[in-house]
Amino acid sequence: MNEIKQINIGLFGVGVVGQGVIEQLAQNAVIISKRTGLNLKITKAVTKTPLKERAVSLEGISLSDDPEHILNDPEIDIVLELIGGIEEAEAIVIRALKDGKSVVSANKALIAENADNIFKTAYESRGLFGFEAAVAGGIPIIRDIKEGFSGDDITEISGIINGTANYILTQMTKAGKDFGTALKEAQEAGFAEADPTFDIEGVDTAHKLLLLMKIAFNGLFEFKELYTEGITKIESIDIAVAEEFGFVIKLLGKAVNVDGKFQGRVHPCLVSKESLLSGVNGAFNAVALKGNFVGETLTYGAGAGSHPTASAVVSDVVAIARQLKAGTGNLVPPLSAEWGSLKMQKIQPISETVTAYYLRFTVTDEVGVLAKITKILGDHGISIEAMQQKDRSKSKSEAVPVVIFTHQAKEENVAQALSEIDALTFIKEPTKLIRIDL
Ligand code: HSE
């Protein structure tokens, strides 16, 4: 076997993450070389703006705006796809893999939504494929699942896996900031997606959860079957009432495998202040897993930003470089399971979910209102755990909030009850429903 002394890396995208990778490979070159016996070197980069000033030194990197600069170079061993977007990124990843190059991508939208093409090509390629940076920034959760828990049957995943949404909710909760101000701060810090609706509408969380489900549950799942709801309807009153009852509101990605029946959903949740996830604040991420032998685990770290995301990209580069050096080929399959064993699985509709609920009704303050609401809930088998009405309205027409916490109920029953309640004349706004994490 020929020992590879230098691994040549071609970088697509010299943005926030790309610059972090350049910086890390330069700054940690000695320690990485000790660990691999190799010199990992970015020899070429492709960017739409090769002449633009960058905060990091690009010395020794040959720059171009032509993708062929890298794709057509047989000396390039590993291609880094850090440009984001779909069509162009997909063409780069597929072409490089088909040519037998190894690829590292941080592009969760691409990998989650165009997965069939990407993974089929990756499994068939002589090249290796890493996407650690696509989920939870610097936390090596993909490697944890694929290698650390490779002997476990994973039954549950609960994750705070979007830094921007978590930053916004934390700022609203702890600093009393409004939604717009907090979002602007996240954008300025470089956490948010180019299209921030992906962050605040739960889409980015859903991309990441789908990848975790495939790896942890060893099945293929359709992105469109994942229930996805963001944080844009969360108001400060919900945060305040949740707090009084011992909860914080978090955007969770949650997936459960009960004997081969799969749940997958993304939505805001009331999380008990006693739980570990409740203490995950700002742009930090955390993923809690349950395995049938390991029990409960929690990994925590920076979920976004230049350096943490670069750390995940570089960890893939190191893993691939070691395998290239050893000539092993793909030691760990890209999705953890053998390709032939991966079957398309259904995700249960949200209507099947059984959980507890926070319901905020906006009602006119008149005799009999509560009796009517609780009767409809009771008719649908929904039992009440706690209730709060603080304010009295100053006039007959002014609406007041009434909050009810329910015991566990099936979502389709709750939805049916709410459609009946919301049709009543004393209900002034559609009732707010937030699920409670159990
Ligand atoms: N927009 C993403 C986030 C970046 O806020 O978590 C990291 O994937």
Side-chain angles (χ1 to χ4, degrees):
M1 187 171 57
N2 292 332
E3 188 156 318
I4 303 164
K5 293 280 186 233
Q6 176 163 305
I7 297 288
N8 296 319
I9 301 165
L11 168 66
F12 281 91
V14 191
V16 174
V17 180
Q19 291 185 57
V21 173
I22 293 171
E23 211 182 332
Q24 190 178 358
L25 285 174
Q27 191 174 319
N28 291 354
V30 173
I31 195 142
I32 290 172
S33 175
K34 273 190 192 162
R35 290 172 184 166
T36 59
L38 298 165
N39 175 21
L40 309 187
K41 185 153 176 40
I42 299 178
T43 53
K44 292 186 167 181
V46 167
T47 161
K48 289 203 164 62
T49 53
L51 300 177
K52 189 173 151 186
E53 279 283 311
R54 259 75 187 196
V56 297
S57 165
L58 303 181
E59 207 185 314
I61 302 175
S62 165
L63 290 168
S64 169
D65 59 4
D66 178 5
E68 293 304 317
H69 185 54
I70 290 174
L71 292 174
N72 209 11
D73 181 349
E75 299 293 312
I76 295 287
D77 303 296
I78 306 177
V79 170
L80 308 186
E81 183 280 294
L82 304 179
I83 60 171
I86 302 289
E87 285 85 17
E88 213 183 328
E90 182 170 25
I92 289 165
V93 170
I94 298 289
R95 161 93 177 274
L97 285 170
K98 283 199 165 149
D99 287 349
K101 294 188 191 318
S102 296
V103 174
V104 175
S105 172
N107 192 334
K108 52 254 157 144
L110 169 68
I111 303 170
E113 291 201 42
N114 294 30
D116 291 354
N117 196 13
I118 301 275
F119 282 111
K120 189 164 181 299
T121 312
Y123 271 83
E124 287 167 354
S125 171
R126 278 180 295 114
L128 309 168
F129 182 51
F131 51 101
E132 185 62 69
V135 182
I139 305 174
I141 187 65
I142 291 179
R143 196 161 286 109
D144 275 2
I145 297 175
K146 285 185 1 181
E147 300 185 47
F149 306 130
S150 54
D152 260 81
D153 185 6
I154 297 175
T155 53
E156 197 171 313
I157 307 166
S158 301
I160 294 176
I161 45 182
N162 182 272
T164 302
N166 202 44
Y167 180 86
I168 293 170
L169 291 174
T170 304
Q171 290 300 320
M172 288 173 76
T173 306
K174 293 195 178 287
K177 288 192 183 156
D178 64 74
F179 191 99
T181 307
L183 171 59
K184 197 157 166 279
E185 286 174 5
Q187 286 177 295
E188 281 163 7
F191 306 142
E193 296 301 299
D195 177 355
T197 57
F198 275 39
D199 297 296
I200 61 181
E201 296 296 359
V203 179
D204 180 74
T205 300
H207 286 147
K208 293 165 177 169
L209 183 67
L210 194 83
L211 287 170
L212 293 182
M213 288 174 71
K214 287 181 182 180
I215 295 164
F217 298 158
N218 303 129
L220 300 175
F221 300 94
E222 289 272 11
F223 181 69
K224 61 177 185 322
E225 287 184 8
L226 207 53
Y227 176 80
T228 304
E229 178 189 323
I231 59 167
T232 48
K233 295 195 186 85
I234 301 294
E235 293 176 39
S236 37
I237 179 177
D238 302 313
I239 290 174
V241 176
E243 164 103 39
E244 280 182 53
F245 282 83
F247 295 96
V248 288
I249 300 181
K250 296 286 181 194
L251 179 65
L252 290 192
K254 196 141 182 110
V256 185
N257 171 7
V258 186
D259 302 326
K261 285 208 163 58
F262 299 98
Q263 285 179 24
R265 47 199 167 89
V266 173
H267 51 72
C269 257
L270 267 67
V271 174
S272 163
K273 282 193 208 161
E274 308 283 309
S275 80
L276 290 171
L277 285 180
S278 72
V280 177
N281 289 316
F284 280 90
N285 282 192
V287 181
L289 295 176
K290 280 187 194 159
N292 64 344
F293 274 69
V294 70
E296 296 192 23
T297 69
L298 180 80
T299 43
Y300 168 88
S306 173
H307 283 186
T309 313
S311 166
V313 171
V314 171
S315 79
D316 273 342
V317 171
V318 167
I320 289 172
R322 283 172 165 159
Q323 291 172 84
L324 293 178
K325 181 183 176 197
T328 56
N330 234 330
L331 272 178
V332 183
L335 282 172
S336 169
E338 296 292 315
W339 183 248
S341 74
L342 289 165
K343 300 275 174 296
M344 189 56 79
Q345 305 288 347
K346 295 289 299 166
I347 301 176
Q348 282 183 347
I350 189 77
S351 54
E352 297 285 313
T353 298
V354 175
T355 191
Y357 297 85
Y358 161 103
L359 305 173
R360 175 161 60 82
F361 303 93
T362 305
V363 299
T364 47
D365 198 2
E366 57 192 60
V367 175
V369 162
L370 268 180
K372 285 186 184 131
I373 291 175
T374 53
K375 166 144 192 344
I376 294 175
L377 291 175
D379 288 348
H380 289 278
I382 300 157
S383 149
I384 293 169
E385 179 173 338
M387 189 165 0
Q388 186 198 71
Q389 180 189 346
K390 269 201 175 157
D391 305 326
R392 294 237 43 197
S393 61
K394 290 173 200 69
S395 69
K396 236 179 151 5
S397 59
E398 194 193 15
V400 291
V402 171
V403 173
I404 287 179
F405 286 78
T406 76
H407 286 293
Q408 283 195 53
K410 195 172 183 188
E411 180 122 349
E412 68 179 356
N413 296 342
V414 177
Q416 185 57 42
L418 291 188
S419 78
E420 288 173 29
I421 291 168
D422 282 358
L424 298 170
T425 51
F426 57 77
I427 295 283
K428 294 300 165 199
E429 284 176 23
T431 297
K432 182 71 59 73
L433 172 156
I434 308 176
R435 298 166 190 86
I436 301 174
D437 189 44
L438 298 171

